[in-house]
Amino acid sequence: MNSPLQQLFDPLFEEKKVQFWLKREDLNHPTLPGNKWRKLKYNLQAAKSAGKETLLTFGGAYSNHIAAVAAAGAAFGFATIGIIRGEEAAIQNKTLMQAVEQGMQLHFISRASYREKENSDFIDQLYTTFGDFYLLPEGGTNDLAVKGCEEIANEITIDYDYLCCSCGTGGTLAGLITADQGHHQLLGFSALKGIQDMEDKISALVMTRSGKQFTNWSVNHQYHFGGYAKLPPELFDFIETFLLKNNILLDPVYTGKMLFGLNDLIRMDYFERGSIIIAIHTGGLQGWNGFEHMI
Ligand SMILES: *Cc1c(COP(=O)(O)O)cnc(C)c1O
């Protein structure tokens, strides 16, 4: 079943003569919604066909990816292990409690060890400790994740000019790029501050997946709001106003920033008149668990 594509209305869109649509990936799955489901789908198939019984992955204490892997384990019958950055005592939170309720075994490591997570010695040690598992990288980005994200773009049947998403690792944007094959303008919005090599990483993912490079995409780095998981009042107010206007809740870490950026760019005439813009609501609403003190 395709996720809904919903047109939004706003006096600003009328004034600037643009059409604005939201692809509701926040509604794409009942128990593990959002782009993390797209990124996991083919990995789960690969894990099953390789006979793996356990998924192991990495993440921060409020990670959408950790939440999604825990939900995937419960839904598809895998044991799950989450290697969590930080000390256990400091991070008793809803994201991790829900992960545990879904059967995830948590293993806390220091920030210093966490930085070693791609190092082969470190991974060998994980196999020694936990036995056989299917390894999912931090954020879930790999070639099969890119393949899964292609389906977001492939589901869209209306004509449009711009397709936009928020970027963490850039895996989702890479999938939009390889699905699009150079036909539309693709715009990513980085939710992180000062990631110099995001474009290079996206290019590498695109090359691995498609064997080609494309030039019809870019990443905007102007709307990170201070960096990952920073939620200044200006952004919070925008998300609240957006909810009241459209009855759609955005997540505080990713989609809120993208929608703020898109509204700002529309106001500044970045998009030519007549443009049809589609933004992807990549889900991530469980991310509000990290901001309970504000709501
Ligand atoms: C993880 C996540 C992203 C970033 O996806 P990448 O593929 O890592 O760029 C965007 N939006 C939401 C809601 C997410 O959870």
Side-chain angles (χ1 to χ4, degrees), residues 6-83:
Q6 177 179 356
Q7 187 169 7
L8 304 187
F9 298 94
D10 192 292
L12 176 69
F13 305 157
E14 259 176 56
E15 181 200 331
K16 300 295 184 183
K17 300 277 180 284
V18 299
Q19 243 189 60
F20 197 94
W21 298 74
L22 201 59
K23 172 80 169 149
R24 300 291 306 273
E25 287 291 295
D26 56 320
L27 304 175
N28 69 0
H29 191 284
T31 58
L32 59 137
N35 64 337
K36 299 303 184 286
W37 159 237
R38 302 284 187 174
K39 297 173 83 169
L40 282 171
K41 181 177 157 189
Y42 290 106
N43 279 291
L44 297 173
Q45 286 181 10
K48 271 272 187 287
S49 34
K52 305 284 183 180
E53 291 171 355
T54 301
L55 310 171
L56 180 144
T57 196
F58 309 93
Y62 295 97
S63 160
N64 291 336
H65 172 64
I66 288 290
V69 172
F76 297 98
F78 293 97
T80 54
I81 300 168
I83 308 292

Side-chain angles (χ1 to χ4, degrees), residues 101-120:
E101 278 164 23
Q102 287 169 312
M104 183 175 262
Q105 179 190 340
L106 300 180
H107 185 74
F108 295 84
I109 63 174
S110 70
R111 284 170 183 269
S113 309
Y114 193 84
R115 268 178 240 120
E116 304 295 313
K117 65 188 175 302
E118 274 145 39
N119 178 323
S120 61

Side-chain angles (χ1 to χ4, degrees), residues 35-36 39 64 139 141 166-172 251 254-255 282-284:
N35 64 337
K36 299 303 184 286
K39 297 173 83 169
N64 291 336
T141 291
S166 175
C167 296
T169 64
T172 304
D251 89 286
Y254 295 100
T255 57
T282 38

